[in-house]
Structures are given as C-alpha cells and as structure tokens.
Amino acid sequence: MSDYNDYARLLHQMQSFRLSDEAREQFVSEILAKYQALAEEHTNLKNDYMSERDIRRNYQRTVEEKQALVGEHERQLQASSFVLALIDGDGAIFQDALLQAAGGNGGSEAASRLYHAIRGHVASLYNNSANWPIMVQIYLSLDKLAIKLASVGLLRSPQEFRAFAQSFSVNQALFSIIDVGQGKERADHKIKEMLRTFSDNPTCRHIIFGGCHDAGYLLNLEHFKHDVHKASQITLLETTPAYRGFTDLNNFKRARFDDVFKKEPLPDYAPLINGFGQLAVQSPVQLAVQPSNRSNTNIASTSPTMISRSAMSPSPSVTPLSSTTTAESNKDSSWGK
C-alpha cells in the first residue's frame, strides 16, 4: 500500500514539475516575444530619430544658407538703394535769387540746396538712409520756360537758363534738368512713366514727387492712396499751392523746400518800380502804350520781354501783386500748360 502511495505522490510531483516547466517555458516565451517587440519598436524609433535628425540637420543647413542669401540680398539692396525725385519744372520754379544768379552760380547753388533739402527729409523718414544716392530728374520745356523767365525779369536773357541748367547738372552727378522740347504734356508723360517704372523697383526706396500743381497727375497717384506701404514711400513736394485733389491723398508724405522753389506762380508780366519807389504791376498792354523814355523808371525797353535787371526789386523775396482771384487758386498753377 505504501508503494502505491509513493508512486501516486511521485506521479503527482512529476506532473507538478511538468506543469511548472510548461509555465516557465510559456513565461520565457512571453518574455522573449515582448523583448522582440520592444527591440523592433526600438529599432523603428531609432530609425525615425535618425531620419528626423538628418531632416533637422538638412533643414538647419538650408535655413542657414537661406539666411546667408537673405543677408547678402539685404546688403546688395542697401548698397544699391537710392532716392528718386521727379519734378515737373514747368510748375516748380526755382527761387528768384537762384534764377537771377543764373549767369553765375545760381544753378550750382540750386542743386546744392535741393540735395540738402532732400537728404534732410529722407533722413527724417529712414534711419539707414545716410548712404543712399539721390537722383533728381527735372522735366521742362527749357526754351519756353527760359523765355517766360526772361519776360518777367528773372533772367537777363533766355540764354542764361541753359547755363543755369548746365551748372545745376554739374554740381550733383545724379541731378539732371531734362529738356522735353516744345509740346503740351511732354513733361507729364515722362514723369508719369518714370513714376510707374520706379514705384515697383525695390532699390528705389523713396520717391519725391514734384507735380502737385498739376491735376493731371492725380489719376497716377490714385491707385497708391489705399496702399499704406506704397504711399508712405512717396513724398508729395508742394511748391506753388497744391491742387485741391492732392489734399485728399492722406497716406502720402508731404514736404516743402521753400529755400529752393517759389511758393507762388510766375506772374503774367514783370514788376516795375513806380515813381514812389514801390513795386507796381503793369500789364503788357499798359507797357506797350507807355513812352520808352519815362524819367521815373529804369526800363530799357517797352517790350515786357526786354526788361532790365535794374527794374527788379532788390529783394528776391518780394512777391509781385497777384492778379488772380480766390476762385482761380484751385486751378492748375503751371504757367505753360
């Protein structure tokens, strides 16, 4: 009986060992399976990490290259930046004192004053503008304007204005007075096309527009007035009173260079010195019927185009009496159009 019990006990014990071995084998198999899964996941994560690292390094390298290109572009842009002034010279008239010195240094002095006026204005708008070149283009009908200036006594002869223009252009390398010849709207056409071309040029950092006396330019500025960025890059230069439409262009910068340009339009005829030593305005018709040898004037000829410089006021800042009415003040103040 005891042998049977021992056998049963041993059989039960062996069965227990067998179950234990199976449990251990299953446990080890599960551990190995989990390890294999973890190893595969680790390998995948490592590959992902390596890929992301390479992508990050390539991205960083690309960013550095692009930043270098942007920096170089900014340096080139800064190096090639300039300011452009487009001025309608038929309406923006230089100060009397500058024109009266046309035979001497009047043109050179005008260029110097205009350069410093523009430089100061641009410096007030941009902190990095000290090295920007200034290009000035003044478009006008040279012969026609010269005759007009001589007729009102601001030049001894029309030929002096050509010397004035040459002296003006020589003083500053990028300053030019451009003769558009005879013909209506020739200066307008040039200025409008230059404005269209350079308004989208990134190297042209600012434009000084000197045409506020002529309503014909309003349409060309119309599409800039709601673009705050573009409008802020254009300064409206006022010489004679601006046409009323320009006052509605709120986003544009504004400037006056009163030591360079006259604030009032050219008179229709020359001022004369009357018997009381005061300026008196006489029409060409009155001049034509006056005797040429009047003792109380210094007129060399009765023709309004041949008035000598001695008939001029000693002070160029004296304004001739205006023959225009208040209602005419809103009209185009360009004499030649």
Side-chain angles (χ1 to χ4, degrees):
M1 185 67 181
S2 61
D3 292 338
Y4 177 78
N5 290 335
D6 290 340
Y7 174 76
R9 182 178 59 80
L10 292 174
L11 182 62
H12 180 267
Q13 188 174 5
M14 186 181 67
Q15 186 68 24
S16 298
F17 288 158
R18 184 178 295 131
L19 293 174
S20 177
D21 290 341
E22 291 177 356
R24 183 174 62 252
E25 183 177 354
Q26 183 178 0
F27 176 72
V28 172
S29 297
E30 290 177 356
I31 290 177
L32 291 175
K34 289 182 178 181
Y35 173 79
Q36 184 178 3
L38 289 173
E40 291 177 355
E41 184 177 359
H42 174 266
T43 300
N44 292 334
L45 290 174
K46 181 180 178 181
N47 291 336
D48 291 343
Y49 167 77
M50 297 293 289
S51 177
E52 289 296 328
R53 186 190 64 179
D54 293 341
I55 292 174
R56 173 65 181 176
R57 288 179 177 176
N58 291 335
Y59 171 78
Q60 186 65 32
R61 188 181 305 111
T62 302
V63 168
E64 291 173 355
E65 291 174 355
K66 297 302 181 184
Q67 287 177 339
L69 289 175
V70 170
E72 180 63 23
H73 175 74
E74 287 291 339
R75 285 189 292 272
Q76 292 178 357
L77 183 63
Q78 182 66 19
S80 58
S81 294
F82 66 96
V83 177
L84 175 65
L86 300 173
I87 300 175
D88 187 336
D90 288 332
I93 307 299
F94 289 102
Q95 283 287 358
D96 293 0
L98 298 173
L99 293 171
Q100 289 166 352
N105 295 323
S108 178
E109 176 66 18
S112 179
R113 289 189 188 183
L114 183 56
Y115 174 85
H116 289 293
I118 294 176
R119 177 65 70 194
H121 174 70
V122 173
S124 69
L125 302 176
Y126 305 92
N127 295 327
N128 58 342
S129 63
N131 295 322
W132 294 354
I134 298 174
M135 181 186 299
V136 174
Q137 304 281 302
I138 301 179
Y139 298 91
L140 49 78
S141 176
L142 193 143
D143 292 336
K144 187 176 180 181
L145 180 57
I147 293 172
K148 175 64 178 179
L149 293 174
S151 74
V152 297
L154 293 178
L155 297 176
R156 290 189 182 91
S157 67
Q159 289 72 25
E160 281 191 336
F161 195 53
R162 190 168 296 277
F164 178 94
Q166 292 173 348
S167 177
F168 179 90
S169 300
V170 168
N171 182 270
Q172 297 291 330
L174 298 179
F175 281 31
S176 299
I177 292 180
I178 300 170
D179 181 15
V180 298
Q182 300 288 340
K184 186 175 177 61
E185 308 298 336
R186 286 193 176 186
D188 300 44
H189 174 71
K190 288 280 191 180
I191 292 175
K192 290 174 182 178
E193 189 61 22
M194 290 287 286
L195 179 64
R196 184 193 66 81
T197 300
F198 284 96
S199 60
D200 291 326
N201 188 329
T203 61
C204 183
R205 305 299 288 272
H206 201 81
I207 295 177
I208 309 290
F209 177 79
C212 297
H213 58 276
D214 189 344
Y217 295 114
L218 281 173
L219 185 61
N220 299 87
L221 297 173
E222 183 73 18
H223 63 283
F224 294 127
K225 72 177 184 179
H226 297 301
D227 187 336
V228 177
H229 176 69
K230 283 286 186 182
S232 66
Q233 293 179 323
I234 300 176
T235 291
L236 301 180
L237 174 61
E238 297 181 6
T239 54
T240 55
Y243 190 83
R244 62 177 176 270
F246 288 94
T247 60
D248 298 330
L249 302 177
N250 298 322
N251 292 324
F252 291 79
K253 307 297 182 183
R254 298 181 184 277
R256 295 190 65 91
F257 301 153
D258 290 337
D259 62 335
V260 182
F261 298 105
K262 292 168 62 68
K263 293 188 291 185
E264 66 281 343
L266 287 174
D268 293 331
Y269 36 84
L272 305 177
I273 300 178
N274 61 21
F276 300 98
Q278 298 173 334
L279 284 178
V281 178
Q282 301 184 17
S283 69
V285 176
Q286 291 173 316
L287 289 173
V289 299
Q290 290 176 345
S292 60
N293 59 350
R294 291 183 61 181
S295 61
N296 60 345
T297 63
N298 292 323
I299 305 173
S301 171
T302 59
S303 170
T305 62
M306 297 296 293
I307 297 173
S308 69
R309 288 176 60 86
S310 62
M312 293 298 299
S313 168
S315 173
S317 63
V318 176
T319 304
L321 298 178
S322 174
S323 62
T324 59
T325 64
T326 304
E328 292 174 326
S329 63
N330 288 328
K331 293 183 179 179
D332 187 345
S333 58
S334 176
W335 61 270
K337 298 179 182 178

